[in-house]
Amino acid sequence: MASASDLGIVKERLAAARSITILTGAGISADSGVPTFRGTDGLWKNFRAEDLATPEAFERDPRLVWEWYSWRRELIATKQPNDAHKAIAELERSCPDFWLITQNVDGLHREAGSRKLSEIHGNIWTVRCTACGMIANNRDVPIAILPSCARCGSLLRPHIVWFGESLFTDDLDCCSRALTRCDVLLVIGTSGIVYPAAGFTSVAKEAGAFVAEINLDPTPQSVLVDISLHGHAKDLVPLLLKPI
Ligand code: BV8
Ligand code: ZN
């Protein structure tokens, strides 16, 4: 459990910060009941994200990949943002120089009210045409397996960044700005394994930021950060962000 003194130090740093950036991963949604990728609750334990969230898997078996995403849509559609998501949306309103970077595709930050955010791995509620590139919001639950483009009739894919695919340039530019200007970076609920997000702590540290990690367990990032707070994001994040 996080010590009162460590919590106090992070709170002081946040109170003194002019610019704050937050990076989140699947752990922040775990408290809403959305399984994580690599946790013991075996996110999609039947499948490994690395095996299905790839362009090759979609090329080989688009039906299986769409069945997986449709199943995730059905699960995520029943979940709500938790107190950690809400506290972050609240901070955005009170801190003028704020940015949120999330690796999550579940859309729960947006649902909690966050607007100044980069969903760097995309969003499960957005689809993209494999032929004409049309991008559209699509809340179908379940979604038709092998959905087709309203504009040209071709196969749609999830507008999600798969393994082996580059992140969107705008997002990377946004992240670089947010990471190099912030006084404090909070890294919440990520195993720190997936790049380039796993490199973001170093980017912020090199630019002089104070970095605190909030996680149930130590991660590969723990050696890089200034303070690691161990506990549930839904408990620790509201404590830390209570009106700064
Ligand atoms: C790319 C969409 C250029 C799919 C996802 C070096 C540089 C660049 C790339 C690479 C590199 N090395 C390797 C690569 C390739 C690859 C990669 O990083 N592989 C890993 C496995 C080593 N990266 C890429 O392919 C990226 N593309 O860089 O393009 C390029 C291209 C080709 C070759 C080279 C370079 C694209 C990565 C994006 C992949 N897409 N998602 C989908 O979701 O359907 S990633 C997937 O993992 C999810 O988005 C997820 O968010 C993300 C990271 O996982 P976490 O969020 O951290 O979740 P996890 O379960 O792992 O951990 C949860 C944590 O929460 C745990 O620590 C747990 O303790 C904690 N926790 C649990 N409960 C709680 C909690 N904490 C607090 N409270 C709780 N209650
Ligand atoms: Zn199309």
Side-chain angles (χ1 to χ4, degrees), residues 22 86-100 109 113-117 241:
I22 294 182
K86 292 173 193 163
I88 290 171
E90 191 52 48
L91 178 65
E92 172 182 320
R93 287 188 280 274
S94 63
C95 173
D97 190 337
F98 172 88
W99 201 258
L100 167 63
H109 280 299
S114 288
R115 292 295 174 268
K116 294 171 82 175
L117 82 161
L241 303 188

Side-chain angles (χ1 to χ4, degrees), residues 129 132 134 149 151-154:
C129 179
C132 73
M134 180 205 71
C149 174
R151 196 158 75 182
C152 75
S154 304

Side-chain angles (χ1 to χ4, degrees), residues 24-28 30-31 36-39 49-50 53 68-69 72 103-105 121 160-167 188-196 214-217 219 231-234:
T24 63
I28 199 167
D31 289 328
T36 62
F37 282 84
R38 296 163 190 87
E50 287 78 3
W68 183 50
Y69 278 97
R72 288 173 69 187
Q103 300 171 85
N104 300 340
V105 301
H121 294 160
I160 278 187
V161 181
W162 283 332
F163 288 97
E165 294 186 320
S166 293
L167 275 61
I188 306 171
T190 180
S191 57
I193 292 170
V194 175
Y195 284 85
I214 291 133
N215 201 304
L216 294 179
D217 307 313
T219 72
H232 281 255
K234 72 173 171 56

Side-chain angles (χ1 to χ4, degrees), residues 159-210:
H159 185 49
I160 278 187
V161 181
W162 283 332
F163 288 97
E165 294 186 320
S166 293
L167 275 61
F168 304 114
T169 315
D170 294 358
D171 284 337
L172 286 172
D173 293 346
C174 218
C175 292
S176 168
R177 268 197 308 279
L179 293 164
T180 51
R181 65 178 292 120
C182 67
D183 305 307
V184 176
L185 169 69
L186 295 186
V187 181
I188 306 171
T190 180
S191 57
I193 292 170
V194 175
Y195 284 85
F200 286 178
T201 296
S202 305
V203 172
K205 277 306 293 171
E206 273 147 41
F210 174 87

